[in-house]
Amino acid sequence: MRDGWTFHGKGVWSYLNQPLPQLTMIGSPNYGYRSIYRDLEAQVTVVPGNTQLQKDIHQEALGLLAHSKIVSQDELKQRTRGSPLWLRGLKPFVMKKM
């Protein structure tokens, strides 16, 4: 992690109470209004058919988690993370065009 830098990643790794992932989702797991109704996004669900692929997927998840941290509600509310007031004022007009 670098001070002052932020990055967000999304992924789904479902273990279903097993030591290795039983499925993963590849692509863009966005479920917001814009993603569902306006954007063309692709997503594939993979159910690994062998133990080696499960291990590889597990290592990918561990690698991402090793360089991340849980973000608290207080951090999300910090002014530096929010949208500027002028941008929030434009939201109703932009939503009508989407």
Side-chain angles (χ1 to χ4, degrees), residues 2-46:
R2 294 183 181 184
D3 287 340
W5 285 44
T6 61
F7 175 81
H8 84 276
K10 294 172 269 189
V12 176
W13 299 268
S14 181
Y15 286 75
L16 302 173
N17 295 319
Q18 300 295 315
L20 294 173
Q22 303 301 299
L23 68 88
T24 188
M25 297 174 104
I26 299 170
S28 183
N30 290 319
Y31 301 108
Y33 177 85
R34 190 188 81 220
S35 299
I36 292 172
Y37 297 105
R38 302 293 183 196
D39 292 347
L40 176 61
E41 299 193 22
Q43 183 169 299
V44 175
T45 300
V46 176

